[in-house]
Amino acid sequence: MEPTPLPKKIALEIICLLYIILFVYAAVSKLLDFENFQVQLGQSPLLSAFAGWIAFIIPISELIIAALLVFPRYRLLAMYMAFSLMIMFTAYIIIILNFSPFVPCSCGGILEKLGWKEHLIFNVAFCLLGIAALLMLRRPETHKARTFVRRAVSNFGIASSVIISSVLVTVLFLVSEHRMTEDNPFIRRFHGYAVKTAQTQLPNNNYYFAGQSGGSIYLANSKAPLYITEIDTSLQQRIRHKIALPDYDLPFTNVRVQVAPPYFYLYDGTVPVFFKGHISNWKALTVTAPTPYFSQSVVMDSANVAFRSENEKTEFILGNFSLIGANVPEFKEGLLTRQVDGFFDCDGQLHWDSETKRLLYLYSYRNQYLVMDEALSLINLGNTIDTTSKARIKVAYLEDQKKYKMSAPPYTVNKSSTFSNGLLYVRSGVIGRFEDKVMWDQASIVDIYDTRSQRYRTSIYIYDAGKLKMTHMTAYGRHLYVLLGYHLHRYTLSKI
């Protein structure tokens, strides 16, 4: 039985009023907290690449539609627009729940009060109300043939709105994912999580990570280089070891220790001597193999070491040498690429990943890293998520000292890093698009990359300990261990 005109009119007014309230509330909520809304859109797997302009379009569209719904003359057009927008929102949630690699946080307004599935039900209910309103808005027709045509046109219009809106959201999803992976719009995603699950305090802030294995983390101290602190992975128990060094009066300036059980290694690149010992007694023995001068080194296994040194042009160069026999150290020309001076612009961090048997060199002032095998043959080049492809540094040549020097503070892109199981963890020095500036005062951002696929995966926050920011980190299993001054924190990571 056809509803009487009055009940139909009342029902239509109620539906229009509900849409007006919904859209005005949602739009005002977004505009009042616009920066947060834009940040949340930037974390969306569907809309990341378009967050800048979509953040403006959505609330403006909602307000325009709400205004048009007020006037009966424009109500049919406005209801089609409102219905199409609700279909887009619904398609967005369906893709998020079923096809997205991760489920982001909410995007303001009512959505913050509901879960994704609850909001899907909410949206579907409003879509059904929209269909009812569009059917009510059909002009009555006494002629049966015309009535059939009007209904067909109306049904076609509703079906077209559903299809076009759904296809549009799907296309946005595909294009956005392509731009995020190929065009690098420098938008971070925080769909992984890092939860602080343990912490302890150290006597001072001079510690650095020397290695990890067998359920233990080894810490060395730059001010007391012969003392090693072994801490269990739960950060509950610690043992202090002292390295027994042969009685050599050597001009050490920067002693470093690396622990790779069952051995440990002690060296100072300014002195051409390398020491090796067993952690069962912590007695260091001199390696008789020829040792080069170097500024960084990593022990790849019990017999081979990779290092960074300088060539005759005072440019950084990578190389390797053996701890066994009398092999001459081998230098690898052409791995590090000069942009400014070949020294400061090529500064970076050298890592060895014992799980994948890969070397990695991460530049400090540009968005690039090199992955190499044990022989220092280049496997691939990767990029960090920021867009600084050329080192932004100023270098001056001091004629009296015959050397280059930084003439201005450098623009540091990658502050610190660690490399484990094919994953590169980078503490970034550059804020990305749509990121909350307040968070940069409260935490450090660590970007995570899969070096095998050369893809950026996710980012995590490492919160400051008071006013102390993280300085060193190491990954071990599903945990990231972080030094913040005299604090040692353990973060448990989600599966990457």
Side-chain angles (χ1 to χ4, degrees), residues 255-289:
V255 174
R256 306 293 287 183
V257 177
Q258 182 177 339
V259 181
Y263 302 107
F264 72 91
Y265 306 86
L266 185 147
Y267 48 84
D268 184 329
T270 62
V271 178
V273 179
F274 216 87
F275 298 93
K276 176 181 176 181
H278 203 284
I279 64 172
S280 61
N281 55 24
W282 295 95
K283 292 182 178 180
L285 300 175
T286 306
V287 175
T288 58

Side-chain angles (χ1 to χ4, degrees), residues 85-375:
L85 196 58
M86 289 305 301
I87 290 295
M88 289 182 189
F89 293 157
T90 305
Y92 173 84
I93 296 176
I94 291 173
I95 294 175
I96 286 288
L97 293 176
N98 294 281
F99 304 103
S100 170
F102 66 96
V103 178
C105 61
S106 60
C107 292
I110 293 175
L111 188 54
E112 287 186 347
K113 310 301 179 184
L114 300 175
W116 284 99
K117 293 182 179 178
E118 290 79 6
H119 202 274
L120 177 61
I121 296 172
F122 180 89
N123 279 15
V124 170
F126 261 85
C127 288
L128 294 176
L129 289 175
I131 292 174
L134 288 171
L135 294 177
M136 292 178 192
L137 285 167
R138 287 193 304 210
R139 290 166 55 186
E141 183 63 61
T142 56
H143 194 282
K144 288 186 177 181
R146 291 179 179 175
T147 300
F148 176 79
V149 172
R150 285 189 179 277
R151 287 180 177 176
V153 171
S154 178
N155 294 339
F156 177 78
I158 294 172
S160 298
S161 297
V162 172
I163 294 171
I164 293 173
S165 300
S166 300
V167 169
L168 179 59
V169 173
T170 303
V171 170
L172 281 175
F173 169 57
L174 297 175
V175 174
S176 178
E177 282 300 282
H178 175 79
R179 287 194 59 188
M180 285 294 293
T181 55
E182 302 297 334
D183 298 342
N184 186 19
F186 196 11
I187 300 174
R188 287 189 172 93
R189 288 178 171 175
F190 296 87
H191 57 267
Y193 67 79
V195 179
K196 187 171 68 175
T197 52
Q199 62 181 17
T200 189
Q201 287 194 8
L202 303 170
N204 53 63
N205 62 354
N206 300 314
Y207 288 90
Y208 62 90
F209 292 107
Q212 66 277 329
S213 181
S216 295
I217 304 295
Y218 295 91
L219 297 175
N221 193 304
S222 58
K223 298 298 183 182
L226 297 184
Y227 289 92
I228 302 297
T229 301
E230 179 183 351
I231 302 180
D232 72 308
T233 52
S234 64
L235 306 187
Q236 297 298 313
Q237 300 178 350
R238 65 181 73 179
I239 304 172
R240 200 180 191 203
H241 307 285
K242 183 178 181 180
I243 296 174
L245 195 67
D247 189 19
Y248 287 130
D249 185 18
L250 296 171
F252 291 130
T253 60
N254 184 30
V255 174
R256 306 293 287 183
V257 177
Q258 182 177 339
V259 181
Y263 302 107
F264 72 91
Y265 306 86
L266 185 147
Y267 48 84
D268 184 329
T270 62
V271 178
V273 179
F274 216 87
F275 298 93
K276 176 181 176 181
H278 203 284
I279 64 172
S280 61
N281 55 24
W282 295 95
K283 292 182 178 180
L285 300 175
T286 306
V287 175
T288 58
T291 303
Y293 292 96
F294 54 82
S295 53
Q296 284 189 41
S297 70
V298 290
V299 177
M300 297 183 286
D301 54 45
S302 60
N304 296 288
V305 178
F307 65 91
R308 187 192 71 181
S309 186
E310 301 173 29
N311 60 17
E312 64 280 359
K313 299 178 182 178
T314 319
E315 297 177 344
F316 278 137
I317 186 172
L318 299 181
N320 58 4
F321 67 93
S322 175
L323 297 175
I324 301 174
N327 295 322
V328 177
E330 185 177 359
F331 294 89
K332 301 288 184 177
E333 296 281 354
L335 283 174
L336 302 183
T337 55
R338 172 176 176 158
Q339 290 185 332
V340 180
D341 65 328
F343 183 78
F344 291 109
D345 63 328
C346 289
D347 196 7
Q349 302 139 48
L350 181 64
H351 298 289
W352 167 253
D353 180 10
S354 59
E355 287 92 348
T356 60
K357 307 297 181 184
R358 292 289 181 262
L359 276 166
L360 182 141
Y361 189 82
L362 173 70
Y363 289 105
S364 294
Y365 306 124
R366 61 177 110 160
N367 65 347
Q368 192 176 65
Y369 61 85
L370 297 76
V371 179
M372 300 155 283
D373 62 16
E374 296 169 271

